[in-house]
Amino acid sequence: MSREKIDGQLFSYTGPAFHYINEEERHFFAKEPAQFKVSLIGCGMIGMEHMRVATRVGRSAIHGVFDLNERSIKVAKEEFAKITDEDFKVYESLEAACNDPEVDGILICTPNYTHLDVLKVAIKSGKHIFMEKPMATKLEDAYEITKMAKEYGSVLQIGLQYRYKSIYSEAIHEVLERKAVGDVKMINIMEHRIPFLDKVNQWNKFSKYSGGTLVEKCCHYFDLMNLFAQSRPVRVYANGSQSTNFRDFEFKGEKSDILDSAFVTVEYENGVRAGFNLCMFAPMFHEELLVCGDEGRVKAAEIEDFSENARLRTEMEVFCGQNRPSKTSQPSYPKLIEASGHNGATWFEHVAFADQMAGKESDSATVEEGFWSVVVGCAAEESVKTGKIVDVADLLKAKGIDL
């Protein structure tokens, strides 16, 4: 098989196993020149994932990094050396990272509560911008970002990557493109997983920094619910608690206050109803989607646990009764992509960002979609606090947001 017949982006990765070959001697594993250079703002866990994936995809090269934490920079330098022979550049300031004339794009991977302030600096550069989810921790900030985006002439992509996971990508195709279930009526999503992991200064253990669990973590799933519903949310009801995780956790004199379990119900303008089930003290990673329409049902699941028993990692079922053929499958990407981060979703997120920088259309999350994922998350957090159904229009009005 010739090299030209193989996906160049996948097989251009020259990992440590091939460092013994000089660049001029490569053919099958020759590295294609990157189309773009990007700066990385924030070198924590997700920043490192983006650094690795961008380098392996190969269309965007990490030209330099900026972070206020010295240890994060040290670790980033070590990780960078494992995946590329390029020079590791550290910017002295946020302004320098955003305004480097050699850079085409900016990756914002800082803690949630810093996004707006970082964006205000980055957007002055006029460069293409990728910003991690959630776009903001407060509705007012999310709305300000949407207004900034409307006036921005370059790319501003939001990191709601779960739509690129294999199970969800296939489900989106079946439901929204193939119309396998007919008109969507009900949506259910479940996530059962281990607790939040450690972050620098443990910012994800405190709602005032993260936006709360239903904003920080669950905006991914609310984005998917909004996408499948093809409508805007009008009412949200949620109940939840901090029943198990971090109940006695304190950091620098502050006590953790994040939810670790919740049920969320969302009603949409078009009559679609959706439910979300969260448990963050389960000994596994288990996601499940159910979309029911008037002509069929799609079920998709992804499971990773810590047992020795063999089990299917992914599965999807399209059941259409008498309407059309039904089928089952095991959606997945090649091993290299699956292992690169978030089960391959980050890989295609970077493909989408490069496509947009190249002037191509993309199905990545827009700023408007990022805004509505935050709206549902904030409404759910408010409902948990008050014990009442939250009317989305009333919530937006109370925040001074006029759509």
Coordinates of all heavy atoms in Angstrom, one line a residue, residues 267-318:
E267 N -36.8 21.3 29.3 CA -37.9 21.3 28.3 C -37.5 22.4 27.2 O -37.0 23.5 27.6 CB -39.2 21.7 29.0 CG -40.4 21.8 28.0 CD -41.7 22.2 28.7 OE1 -41.7 22.1 30.0 OE2 -42.6 22.6 28.0
Y268 N -37.7 22.0 26.0 CA -37.3 22.9 24.8 C -38.5 23.5 24.2 O -39.7 23.1 24.3 CB -36.5 22.0 23.8 CG -35.2 21.7 24.3 CD1 -35.0 20.5 25.0 CD2 -34.1 22.5 24.1 CE1 -33.7 20.2 25.5 CE2 -32.8 22.2 24.6 CZ -32.6 21.0 25.3 OH -31.4 20.7 25.7
E269 N -38.3 24.6 23.4 CA -39.3 25.3 22.8 C -40.2 24.5 21.8 O -41.4 24.7 21.7 CB -38.7 26.5 21.9 CG -38.1 27.6 22.8 CD -37.5 28.7 21.9 OE1 -37.3 28.4 20.7 OE2 -37.2 29.8 22.4
N270 N -39.6 23.5 21.2 CA -40.3 22.7 20.2 C -41.0 21.5 20.9 O -41.5 20.6 20.2 CB -39.4 22.2 19.1 CG -38.2 21.3 19.6 OD1 -38.1 21.1 20.8 ND2 -37.3 20.9 18.7
G271 N -41.0 21.4 22.2 CA -41.6 20.3 22.9 C -40.8 19.1 23.3 O -41.2 18.2 24.0
V272 N -39.5 19.1 22.8 CA -38.6 18.0 23.1 C -38.3 18.1 24.6 O -38.1 19.2 25.2 CB -37.3 18.1 22.3 CG1 -36.3 17.1 22.8 CG2 -37.6 17.8 20.8
R273 N -38.2 16.9 25.3 CA -37.8 16.9 26.7 C -36.5 16.1 26.8 O -36.4 15.1 26.1 CB -38.9 16.3 27.5 CG -40.1 17.3 27.7 CD -41.2 16.6 28.5 NE -42.2 17.7 28.9 CZ -43.1 18.2 28.0 NH1 -43.2 17.8 26.8 NH2 -44.0 19.1 28.5
A274 N -35.7 16.5 27.7 CA -34.4 15.8 27.9 C -34.1 15.7 29.4 O -34.5 16.5 30.2 CB -33.3 16.7 27.2
G275 N -33.4 14.6 29.7 CA -33.0 14.3 31.1 C -31.5 14.0 31.1 O -30.9 13.4 30.2
F276 N -30.9 14.4 32.2 CA -29.4 14.1 32.4 C -29.2 13.5 33.8 O -29.8 14.1 34.8 CB -28.6 15.4 32.3 CG -27.2 15.2 32.5 CD1 -26.4 14.4 31.7 CD2 -26.6 15.9 33.6 CE1 -25.0 14.2 32.0 CE2 -25.2 15.7 33.9 CZ -24.4 14.9 33.1
N277 N -28.4 12.5 33.9 CA -28.2 11.8 35.2 C -26.7 11.8 35.4 O -25.9 11.2 34.6 CB -28.7 10.3 35.0 CG -28.3 9.4 36.1 OD1 -27.4 9.6 36.9 ND2 -29.0 8.3 36.2
L278 N -26.2 12.4 36.5 CA -24.8 12.5 36.8 C -24.5 11.8 38.2 O -25.2 12.0 39.2 CB -24.4 13.9 36.9 CG -23.0 14.2 37.4 CD1 -22.0 13.8 36.3 CD2 -22.8 15.7 37.8
C279 N -23.5 11.0 38.1 CA -22.9 10.4 39.4 C -21.4 10.5 39.2 O -20.8 9.9 38.3 CB -23.3 9.0 39.6 SG -22.5 8.2 41.0
M280 N -20.7 11.2 40.2 CA -19.3 11.4 40.1 C -18.5 10.6 41.2 O -17.4 11.0 41.6 CB -18.9 12.8 40.1 CG -19.4 13.6 38.9 SD -18.7 15.2 38.7 CE -17.0 14.8 38.3
F281 N -19.1 9.5 41.7 CA -18.4 8.7 42.7 C -18.6 7.2 42.3 O -18.6 6.3 43.1 CB -18.9 8.9 44.1 CG -20.4 9.0 44.3 CD1 -21.2 7.9 44.4 CD2 -21.0 10.3 44.3 CE1 -22.5 8.1 44.6 CE2 -22.3 10.4 44.4 CZ -23.1 9.3 44.6
A282 N -18.7 7.0 40.9 CA -18.8 5.6 40.4 C -17.3 5.1 40.1 O -16.5 5.9 39.6 CB -19.7 5.6 39.2
P283 N -17.0 3.8 40.2 CA -15.7 3.3 40.0 C -15.5 3.0 38.5 O -15.1 1.9 38.1 CB -15.6 2.1 40.8 CG -17.0 1.6 40.8 CD -17.9 2.8 40.8
M284 N -15.8 4.0 37.6 CA -15.7 3.7 36.2 C -15.9 5.0 35.4 O -16.2 6.1 36.0 CB -16.8 2.7 35.8 CG -18.2 3.3 36.0 SD -19.6 2.3 35.5 CE -19.3 0.8 36.5
F285 N -15.8 4.9 34.1 CA -16.3 6.0 33.2 C -17.4 5.4 32.3 O -17.1 4.5 31.6 CB -15.2 6.5 32.3 CG -14.1 7.3 33.1 CD1 -13.0 6.6 33.5 CD2 -14.3 8.6 33.3 CE1 -12.0 7.3 34.2 CE2 -13.3 9.3 34.0 CZ -12.1 8.7 34.5
H286 N -18.6 5.8 32.5 CA -19.7 5.3 31.8 C -20.6 6.4 31.3 O -21.2 7.1 32.1 CB -20.5 4.3 32.6 CG -21.6 3.6 31.9 ND1 -22.4 2.7 32.5 CD2 -22.1 3.7 30.7 CE1 -23.3 2.2 31.7 NE2 -23.2 2.9 30.5
E287 N -20.7 6.5 29.9 CA -21.6 7.5 29.3 C -22.6 6.8 28.5 O -22.3 5.8 27.9 CB -20.8 8.5 28.4 CG -19.8 9.3 29.1 CD -19.0 10.2 28.2 OE1 -19.6 10.6 27.1 OE2 -17.9 10.6 28.5
E288 N -23.8 7.3 28.5 CA -24.9 6.6 27.7 C -25.8 7.7 27.2 O -26.2 8.6 27.9 CB -25.6 5.6 28.6 CG -26.6 4.8 27.8 CD -27.1 3.6 28.6 OE1 -26.2 2.7 28.9 OE2 -28.3 3.5 28.9
L289 N -26.2 7.5 26.0 CA -27.2 8.4 25.3 C -28.3 7.6 24.8 O -28.2 6.5 24.2 CB -26.5 9.1 24.1 CG -27.4 9.8 23.1 CD1 -27.9 11.1 23.7 CD2 -26.6 10.1 21.8
L290 N -29.5 8.1 25.0 CA -30.8 7.6 24.4 C -31.5 8.7 23.7 O -31.8 9.7 24.4 CB -31.6 6.9 25.5 CG -31.2 5.6 26.0 CD1 -32.0 5.2 27.3 CD2 -31.4 4.5 25.0
V291 N -31.8 8.6 22.4 CA -32.6 9.5 21.7 C -33.8 8.8 21.1 O -33.6 7.8 20.3 CB -31.8 10.2 20.6 CG1 -32.7 11.2 19.8 CG2 -30.6 10.9 21.1
C292 N -35.0 9.2 21.5 CA -36.2 8.5 21.1 C -37.0 9.5 20.2 O -37.3 10.6 20.6 CB -37.1 8.1 22.2 SG -36.3 6.9 23.3
G293 N -37.4 9.0 19.0 CA -38.2 9.8 18.1 C -39.5 9.0 17.8 O -39.8 8.0 18.4
D294 N -40.3 9.6 16.9 CA -41.6 9.0 16.6 C -41.5 7.8 15.6 O -42.4 7.1 15.3 CB -42.6 10.0 16.1 CG -42.1 10.7 14.8 OD1 -41.0 10.4 14.3 OD2 -42.8 11.6 14.4
E295 N -40.2 7.5 15.2 CA -40.0 6.4 14.3 C -38.9 5.4 14.7 O -38.5 4.5 14.0 CB -39.7 6.9 12.9 CG -40.8 7.6 12.2 CD -40.5 8.1 10.8 OE1 -39.5 7.7 10.3 OE2 -41.3 8.9 10.2
G296 N -38.3 5.7 15.9 CA -37.2 4.8 16.3 C -36.4 5.3 17.5 O -36.8 6.3 18.1
R297 N -35.4 4.6 17.8 CA -34.6 4.9 19.0 C -33.1 4.7 18.7 O -32.8 3.7 18.1 CB -35.0 4.1 20.2 CG -34.4 4.5 21.5 CD -34.7 3.5 22.6 NE -33.8 2.3 22.5 CZ -33.4 1.6 23.6 NH1 -33.9 1.9 24.8 NH2 -32.5 0.6 23.5
V298 N -32.3 5.6 19.2 CA -30.8 5.4 19.1 C -30.3 5.3 20.5 O -30.6 6.2 21.3 CB -30.1 6.5 18.3 CG1 -28.6 6.5 18.6 CG2 -30.4 6.4 16.8
K299 N -29.5 4.3 20.8 CA -28.8 4.2 22.0 C -27.3 4.1 21.8 O -26.9 3.3 20.9 CB -29.2 2.9 22.8 CG -28.5 2.6 24.1 CD -28.9 1.3 24.7 CE -28.0 0.9 25.9 NZ -28.4 -0.4 26.4
A300 N -26.5 4.9 22.5 CA -25.0 4.8 22.3 C -24.4 4.9 23.7 O -24.8 5.6 24.6 CB -24.6 6.0 21.5
A301 N -23.3 4.1 23.9 CA -22.7 4.0 25.2 C -21.2 3.8 25.0 O -20.7 3.3 24.1 CB -23.3 2.8 26.0
E302 N -20.5 4.4 26.0 CA -19.0 4.2 26.1 C -18.7 3.9 27.5 O -19.1 4.6 28.5 CB -18.4 5.5 25.7 CG -16.8 5.5 25.8 CD -16.2 6.9 25.4 OE1 -16.0 7.1 24.2 OE2 -16.1 7.7 26.3
I303 N -17.9 2.8 27.7 CA -17.6 2.3 29.1 C -16.2 2.0 29.2 O -15.6 1.3 28.4 CB -18.5 1.0 29.4 CG1 -20.0 1.3 29.2 CG2 -18.2 0.5 30.8 CD1 -20.8 0.0 29.3
E304 N -15.6 2.5 30.3 CA -14.2 2.2 30.7 C -14.2 1.9 32.2 O -14.6 2.8 32.9 CB -13.2 3.3 30.3 CG -13.0 3.5 28.8 CD -11.9 4.5 28.6 OE1 -10.8 4.4 29.1 OE2 -12.2 5.5 27.8
D305 N -13.8 0.8 32.6 CA -13.7 0.5 34.0 C -12.3 0.0 34.4 O -11.4 -0.1 33.6 CB -14.8 -0.4 34.5 CG -14.8 -1.8 33.9 OD1 -13.7 -2.2 33.5 OD2 -15.9 -2.4 33.7
F306 N -12.2 -0.4 35.6 CA -10.9 -0.8 36.1 C -10.8 -2.3 36.5 O -9.9 -2.8 37.2 CB -10.5 0.0 37.4 CG -10.7 1.5 37.2 CD1 -11.8 2.1 37.8 CD2 -9.9 2.2 36.3 CE1 -12.0 3.5 37.5 CE2 -10.1 3.5 36.1 CZ -11.1 4.2 36.7
S307 N -11.7 -3.1 35.9 CA -11.7 -4.5 36.1 C -10.9 -5.3 35.1 O -10.6 -4.7 34.0 CB -13.1 -5.1 36.2 OG -13.7 -5.0 34.9
E308 N -10.6 -6.5 35.3 CA -9.9 -7.4 34.4 C -10.9 -8.0 33.4 O -10.4 -8.6 32.4 CB -9.1 -8.5 35.1 CG -8.0 -7.9 36.0 CD -6.9 -7.3 35.1 OE1 -6.7 -7.7 34.0 OE2 -6.3 -6.3 35.6
N309 N -12.1 -8.0 33.6 CA -13.1 -8.6 32.7 C -13.2 -7.9 31.4 O -13.3 -6.7 31.4 CB -14.5 -8.7 33.4 CG -14.5 -9.4 34.7 OD1 -13.8 -10.5 34.8 ND2 -15.2 -9.0 35.7
A310 N -13.2 -8.6 30.3 CA -13.3 -8.0 29.0 C -14.7 -7.6 28.8 O -15.7 -8.3 29.1 CB -12.9 -9.1 27.9
R311 N -14.9 -6.4 28.2 CA -16.2 -5.9 27.9 C -16.1 -5.0 26.7 O -15.0 -4.5 26.4 CB -16.8 -5.2 29.0 CG -16.2 -3.8 29.3 CD -17.2 -2.9 30.1 NE -17.4 -3.2 31.5 CZ -18.5 -3.1 32.1 NH1 -19.6 -2.7 31.5 NH2 -18.6 -3.3 33.4
L312 N -17.2 -4.7 26.0 CA -17.2 -3.8 24.9 C -17.0 -2.4 25.4 O -17.6 -2.0 26.4 CB -18.5 -3.9 24.1 CG -18.9 -5.2 23.5 CD1 -20.2 -5.1 22.8 CD2 -17.8 -5.6 22.4
R313 N -16.1 -1.6 24.7 CA -15.8 -0.3 25.2 C -16.9 0.7 24.7 O -17.3 1.6 25.3 CB -14.4 0.2 24.7 CG -14.0 1.5 25.5 CD -12.7 2.0 24.9 NE -12.9 2.6 23.6 CZ -13.5 3.8 23.4 NH1 -13.9 4.5 24.5 NH2 -13.6 4.3 22.2
T314 N -17.3 0.4 23.5 CA -18.4 1.3 22.9 C -19.4 0.4 22.2 O -19.1 -0.7 21.8 CB -17.9 2.2 21.8 OG1 -17.4 1.5 20.7 CG2 -16.8 3.1 22.4
E315 N -20.6 0.9 22.2 CA -21.7 0.2 21.4 C -22.8 1.2 21.0 O -23.0 2.2 21.7 CB -22.3 -1.0 22.3 CG -23.0 -0.5 23.6 CD -23.6 -1.7 24.3 OE1 -23.8 -2.7 23.7 OE2 -23.9 -1.5 25.5
M316 N -23.4 0.9 19.9 CA -24.5 1.8 19.5 C -25.6 0.9 18.8 O -25.3 0.0 18.1 CB -24.0 2.8 18.5 CG -25.1 3.9 18.2 SD -24.5 5.3 17.2 CE -24.7 4.5 15.6
E317 N -26.8 1.2 19.1 CA -27.9 0.5 18.6 C -28.9 1.5 17.9 O -29.3 2.5 18.5 CB -28.7 -0.2 19.7 CG -30.0 -0.9 19.4 CD -30.8 -1.2 20.6 OE1 -30.5 -2.3 21.2 OE2 -31.7 -0.4 21.0
V318 N -29.3 1.2 16.7 CA -30.3 1.9 16.0 C -31.5 1.0 15.8 O -31.4 0.0 15.0 CB -29.8 2.5 14.7 CG1 -30.9 3.3 14.0 CG2 -28.5 3.3 14.8

